[in-house]
Amino acid sequence: MIWQVQKNGSVSQLVGTAHFFPYSFRNALHRCLQNARIVMFEGPLDEDSMARVRQAGMDTESSYHFFDELDDQTIAGITGALIPVCRMRNSTQFFQYCKDDLKQTVYDLVKGMQPWLAFFTLWSTYLQRNGWKYSVDMEGFNLAQELGKKVVFLESIEEQIKVLQNISHEKIMHFLKQTDHWETLANDFVKSYLKGDLEKLRLSGIRFPSRHHTIIDHRDEIFFERMQTELARGDVVAFLGAPHLKGMSRLLLADGYQV
């Protein structure tokens, strides 16, 4: 997942990241970053920026609730995935339970959220409850700060929020109806990532709403354009989501880089 790029004697590295993962790569990333002149990330990762993302996805004034668009069976599947002890309940009980119980319910977990934020909240909660407590992006970001490296973000938080808001509503709904496949999807991602198999990652990501080509390909070009000046100087370590590496490598090769 670490690719070396070189042109005219200037050498840099691209690191394919996983925003959530069950394993830490801190030691390897520390070695990778030691000699970096500048470290790049897709977008801001500080707490204030994360709070702005959450704020942008909240709509507490509206009576709308994400579950209003979901059938009882889908709600039951989501609840069963996040709270396995509840799998014995029938779908009607699930729905009533989620509406009436306290803050621990799945219903309350996404209350007041727009669909895109509700989706990411449900998926990240599922992963965290299954041991996915690490993030390659955050480990890299924290290490870069500890090592006193100059950090550059390739997108503003406003641009990132716009990307999130444009994720297909239809694809989100389809994904949430596939809870029976979530475990397989997560396990396949881990295997493909550890093998560095970008093609399998691309194929397995078709079902994941944010890995659509309309989002990935467009941002590849933005990242490439904004990285060019520093890449020409070399000693850059750029952290990009693993699905971006294929497109980035094509753009770099076309520009005369060795990858």
Side-chain angles (χ1 to χ4, degrees), residues 5 15 28 30 55 62 83-84 86 89 105 126 150 165 196 204 252:
V5 299
V15 180
H30 189 278
Q55 184 179 18
S62 172
I83 311 175
C86 292
R89 302 176 187 268
T105 68
Y126 170 78
K150 180 181 179 181
Q165 292 173 331
S204 66
L252 288 163

Side-chain angles (χ1 to χ4, degrees), residues 4-251:
Q4 181 171 286
V5 299
Q6 181 174 345
K7 182 180 179 181
N8 298 330
S10 297
V11 181
S12 295
Q13 294 177 320
L14 301 182
V15 180
T17 70
H19 302 316
F20 298 97
F21 210 68
Y23 305 117
S24 168
F25 296 101
R26 181 179 172 85
N27 291 339
L29 293 175
H30 189 278
R31 292 193 295 272
C32 180
L33 289 173
Q34 279 183 324
N35 297 319
R37 178 180 57 86
I38 188 168
V39 186
M40 296 181 171
F41 296 90
E42 290 184 23
L45 294 166
D46 58 278
E47 291 184 10
D48 287 345
S49 295
M50 296 302 98
R52 288 182 63 185
V53 172
R54 181 175 176 82
Q55 184 179 18
M58 298 298 295
D59 187 10
T60 55
E61 299 300 320
S62 172
S63 61
Y64 166 84
H65 192 288
F66 185 52
F67 279 14
D68 294 341
E69 295 190 58
L70 303 176
D71 57 73
D72 288 1
Q73 184 177 354
T74 299
I75 294 172
I78 295 170
T79 307
L82 269 62
I83 311 175
V85 71
C86 292
R87 285 178 178 157
M88 296 302 294
R89 302 176 187 268
N90 63 45
S91 59
T92 302
Q93 289 173 322
F94 266 134
F95 187 68
Q96 194 60 41
Y97 177 75
C98 287
K99 274 198 167 183
D100 297 339
D101 210 357
L102 301 175
K103 293 181 180 180
Q104 300 302 311
T105 68
V106 178
Y107 184 91
D108 285 326
L109 180 66
V110 295
K111 188 175 182 179
M113 293 184 182
Q114 296 179 31
W116 63 267
L117 181 59
F119 156 66
F120 278 110
T121 299
L122 293 171
W123 179 239
S124 62
T125 300
Y126 170 78
L127 294 177
Q128 289 166 2
R129 291 186 178 179
N130 283 278
W132 292 49
K133 59 181 181 178
Y134 301 103
S135 164
V136 181
D137 308 78
M138 288 305 303
E139 283 193 326
F141 179 62
N142 291 333
L143 279 168
Q145 291 186 309
E146 290 174 22
L147 293 169
K149 303 297 182 180
K150 180 181 179 181
V151 172
V152 169
F153 300 115
L154 298 170
E155 290 179 316
S156 67
I157 197 62
E158 291 81 11
E159 288 174 312
Q160 291 214 312
I161 289 171
K162 186 175 180 180
V163 169
L164 295 171
Q165 292 173 331
N166 286 334
I167 293 174
S168 167
H169 189 84
E170 181 182 356
K171 292 184 183 300
I172 288 175
M173 294 302 180
H174 178 72
F175 185 83
L176 293 176
K177 293 179 180 179
Q178 308 296 316
T179 52
D180 289 347
H181 301 289
W182 282 10
E183 183 177 0
T184 299
L185 179 64
N187 290 339
D188 287 349
F189 179 85
V190 172
K191 292 176 183 177
S192 299
Y193 187 88
L194 293 176
K195 289 180 179 179
D197 193 332
L198 297 180
E199 187 62 21
K200 281 193 176 180
L201 278 182
R202 185 184 69 82
L203 293 174
S204 66
I206 290 173
R207 292 172 291 170
F208 196 78
S210 63
R211 293 193 200 128
H212 194 263
H213 67 87
T214 57
I215 294 176
I216 299 295
D217 295 351
H218 174 64
R219 294 172 73 219
D220 287 345
E221 296 177 2
I222 293 174
F223 295 153
F224 175 70
E225 180 66 28
R226 295 176 182 178
M227 290 168 62
Q228 283 196 51
T229 300
E230 295 298 344
L231 283 179
R233 296 179 60 193
D235 297 323
V236 172
V237 176
F239 287 77
L240 301 174
H244 289 287
L245 291 186
K246 277 285 190 181
M248 285 298 299
S249 68
R250 285 193 293 268
L251 293 170

